[in-house]
Amino acid sequence: MKTISRYIMTLALLLTAVTGAWAADTYTITFSGFGNEACNKTVTDAALEYSETFTVNDVDADYMSLIDLGGSNEYVSISQGQYDTQIIITVKSAFEGTEKVTVYYVNMDGDETARNISVTCVKNAPAEPAGPKVAWNASTKTGTFAMPGSDVVLTPIYAKAAAFATTGTELDVKTLLPEAAEGIIAGTDASLIAEGTGIVAFAGTSTEVTQGTLMYAIGTSATEAPALTAFSATVPTAEDIADDGADVYVWYYIQGADTPDGQQATEENTFNDTEPACLTVQVLTNKFDITFNAANANTIEAGKATVTLDGAAATVTDGKLQGVKMGSEVKIKANTGYKFRKVEVKKAASESLIVNPVVGQIIGSDGKNYNVADVPTGVEKVAMITYVGSETGHDTYKRGLAIALRDEGEMDWATAKSTCEAKSTFTNAAWMVPSVPQWMAMCTATGNSGNTYYGSMKYAMIAAAGEESSFKEDGYQYWSSSEGSSSTAFCFGLKDDSANIPSADKNNIKGVRAVLAF
């Protein structure tokens, strides 16, 4: 039986009242083993308990001596009827399976005859729905039916909404909602949904059957969902996104699992739809530029070489061929009278997502910088910008530094470095353990004149992201990447809102706070 499960919570009364979908259970009870086939009977009855009297005609017996219920009388009982060869079998309650009964008959000579009798009880499949036909409107979540010329009975049956799977343990549980993929280029078959997200929870105790199917649709608005008919189980890609790229609105919901055919609806096998939700996916442009870095100016325009793009002549303007799609075939041919000695092709650096950085701004989980009050819903606060400049004397950073808003934990020096460097990075930015000069530069840039004072940086982080973002208590030490010797490294030690720079054995356990260099 295919049971309508969607929108049950909204229309619970209407659903079961007119379809008759969860009728009383019925069972088929079969008695066998009497030796007289005429005594085998099959009955259908939903109102247990049920009794049946049987006469065993082919037994030479004067009385019934012993009844053995095979070790169980939970479901079946047996008693003597009006005659010595009559027995009464009573099915006391519904069960599924077979109960075995042994009856002994004895004649006047003391001869004993045994009869092995089986009682089998099978639950019948639910009856097909009866009653007026319900016309469902998925968009308004309503059902309409024509009242018949008879009374109807309304029976509320509820189904809970399907759910997304979770990961982690108590206090650190994460729901695996669909997440926007990053770095997706328009016109490619790359999925718009990040791998490993949007996993639907299993149904009940099953580890194979899920609570529903995740459905997707690309919409035109972040606030108004497409019609349900526009959704499908196919994960959307950037294949049909225009080459210029765009913010794409990917809508999703879980289509709750219907009751399996031949089963009765329960909270373990029938689920409601979830409400549609929207992800905004930033799809990058698929138009790239080629700059011809010739030995002398405008070599291409001077007629010394020609360029074709996918077999068609291409126009190079001011030494640049613009708007080239990824995967296109670019061919350069020296014109008559000229030869190439060497052609070098290098990948140009990508532009950073951090634009016009300001100390105190937040770096979001999307790699972009925001004022504290302007971080969009759904974007996690990852770091706070603590230095902006163009210095080149502080190792690997030029534009600036942003300190993570959470500790990485406590570990030895080598593990601290590998842990920070392995964090998920952004375009033209990388995580690392800050050096001593970087710690000092961040302290100074966050509003203090003394190089060893860290208080303003601490309080700025608390104002930006809450108390949990703060440094540990006074007396705590964080690793720096600056080494004192082959076996020691310097720490950033906290003391009364000031800082000192003690050295420590690299095998010691210290705190770790990563810094994003951009």
Side-chain angles (χ1 to χ4, degrees):
M1 176 181 71
K2 195 69 172 178
T3 305
I4 299 173
S5 66
R6 286 181 286 285
Y7 314 123
I8 291 178
M9 195 64 74
T10 305
L11 299 169
L13 292 174
L14 183 60
L15 172 64
T16 59
V18 298
T19 64
W22 288 277
D25 294 330
T26 64
Y27 297 82
T28 295
I29 305 167
T30 303
F31 306 92
S32 60
F34 294 95
N36 181 345
E37 293 303 317
C39 292
N40 294 345
K41 297 191 176 182
T42 301
V43 298
T44 301
D45 198 334
L48 300 174
E49 66 184 44
Y50 183 86
S51 296
E52 193 73 40
T53 301
F54 296 93
T55 300
V56 185
N57 297 321
D58 61 347
V59 175
D60 180 16
D62 293 298
Y63 60 92
M64 184 167 52
S65 66
L66 177 64
I67 300 169
D68 176 13
L69 294 180
S72 171
N73 62 357
E74 180 180 357
Y75 300 110
V76 178
S77 64
I78 191 166
S79 57
Q80 188 172 358
Q82 183 177 359
Y83 308 106
D84 290 338
T85 55
Q86 282 188 343
I87 61 171
I88 301 172
I89 299 178
T90 301
V91 180
K92 299 192 295 185
S93 61
F95 67 94
E96 294 188 62
T98 299
E99 290 287 319
K100 294 186 180 299
V101 177
T102 302
V103 182
Y104 294 93
Y105 295 90
V106 181
N107 62 22
M108 297 301 293
D109 296 328
D111 297 328
E112 190 175 73
T113 302
R115 278 283 178 259
N116 295 315
I117 301 169
S118 296
V119 182
T120 301
C121 190
V122 177
K123 185 177 180 179
N124 298 322
E128 287 297 322
K133 183 178 180 181
V134 179
W136 289 98
N137 186 319
S139 61
T140 60
K141 302 183 181 179
T142 57
T144 306
F145 71 99
M147 184 67 181
S150 62
D151 296 338
V152 294
V153 177
L154 301 179
T155 304
I157 301 292
Y158 297 93
K160 59 187 177 183
F164 287 97
T166 59
T167 185
T169 56
E170 286 294 332
L171 303 180
D172 192 28
V173 176
K174 178 183 178 183
T175 302
L176 297 176
L177 295 171
E179 295 178 3
E182 296 181 352
I184 304 302
I185 296 176
T188 68
D189 60 359
S191 170
L192 299 181
I193 304 300
E195 184 178 354
T197 62
I199 300 174
V200 182
F202 288 119
T205 57
S206 171
T207 57
E208 297 179 357
V209 181
T210 57
Q211 296 185 16
T213 302
L214 193 51
M215 308 291 283
Y216 297 97
I218 294 179
T220 58
S221 164
T223 57
E224 185 175 348
L228 289 182
T229 53
F231 285 80
S232 78
T234 302
V235 179
T237 70
E239 189 170 3
D240 296 326
I241 308 303
D243 291 344
D244 287 328
D247 284 343
V248 180
Y249 306 113
V250 179
W251 286 82
Y252 65 90
Y253 77 98
I254 301 176
Q255 186 182 81
D258 283 339
T259 307
D261 289 342
Q263 295 185 22
Q264 181 180 5
T266 68
E267 289 189 1
E268 299 291 317
N269 66 10
T270 306
F271 296 90
N272 221 349
D273 291 355
T274 60
E275 291 296 324
C278 183
L279 282 174
T280 299
V281 183
Q282 184 184 41
V283 178
L284 306 178
T285 180
N286 198 348
K287 291 183 177 180
F288 304 96
D289 297 340
I290 299 175
T291 300
F292 293 87
N293 189 19
N296 55 326
N298 299 323
T299 298
I300 303 297
E301 288 91 333
K304 297 178 181 178
T306 56
V307 179
T308 60
L309 182 62
D310 287 332
T315 301
V316 177
T317 304
D318 295 331
K320 182 176 289 188
L321 180 61
Q322 296 179 311
V324 181
K325 190 172 181 178
M326 185 175 66
S328 300
E329 181 190 70
V330 181
K331 184 178 293 186
I332 306 172
K333 180 181 179 182
N335 290 341
T336 303
Y338 298 93
K339 290 184 178 179
F340 292 121
R341 286 197 305 168
K342 181 172 64 172
V343 176
E344 292 182 337
V345 179
K346 296 181 180 180
K347 185 177 179 180
S350 301
E351 294 185 5
S352 174
L353 300 176
I354 300 172
V355 179
N356 300 323
V358 176
V359 170
Q361 286 185 327
I362 291 294
I363 303 296
S365 54
D366 56 0
K368 300 178 182 180
N369 55 312
Y370 300 95
N371 293 327
V372 173
D374 298 331
V375 179
T377 301
V379 174
E380 181 184 355
K381 295 178 179 179
V382 173
M384 186 187 78
I385 297 177
T386 45
Y387 173 84
V388 174
S390 58
E391 295 185 36
T392 59
H394 294 306
D395 303 323
T396 59
Y397 75 93
K398 293 183 179 181
R399 296 184 64 214
L401 299 170
I403 194 163
L405 295 176
R406 304 287 186 276
D407 284 350
E408 298 303 313
E410 297 180 329
M411 56 200 76
D412 61 58
W413 186 78
T415 305
K417 291 192 68 178
S418 61
T419 298
C420 292
E421 291 167 3
K423 285 171 64 70
S424 298
T425 189
F426 308 110
T427 304
N428 282 351
W431 291 99
M432 61 186 181
V433 175
S435 66
V436 168
Q438 289 166 350
W439 275 114
M440 296 306 186
M442 292 189 293
C443 287
T444 302
T446 47
N448 299 283
S449 57
N451 275 350
T452 60
Y453 187 79
Y454 77 95
S456 288
M457 181 163 56
K458 176 178 72 174
Y459 299 126
M461 286 192 297
I462 293 174
E467 187 72 37
E468 65 274 14
S469 68
S470 181
F471 295 115
K472 290 290 195 300
E473 65 280 355
D474 283 345
Y476 198 76
Q477 293 181 348
Y478 288 90
W479 280 121
S480 83
S481 60
S482 301
E483 298 181 74
S485 67
S486 60
S487 61
T488 63
F490 290 100
C491 301
F492 186 72
L494 312 183
K495 183 65 175 177
D496 300 326
D497 274 352
S498 295
N500 53 41
I501 313 297
S503 64
D505 189 291
K506 291 179 179 179
N507 292 322
N508 288 354
I509 303 300
K510 303 292 183 182
V512 181
R513 182 68 71 103
V515 163
L516 186 70
F518 60 89

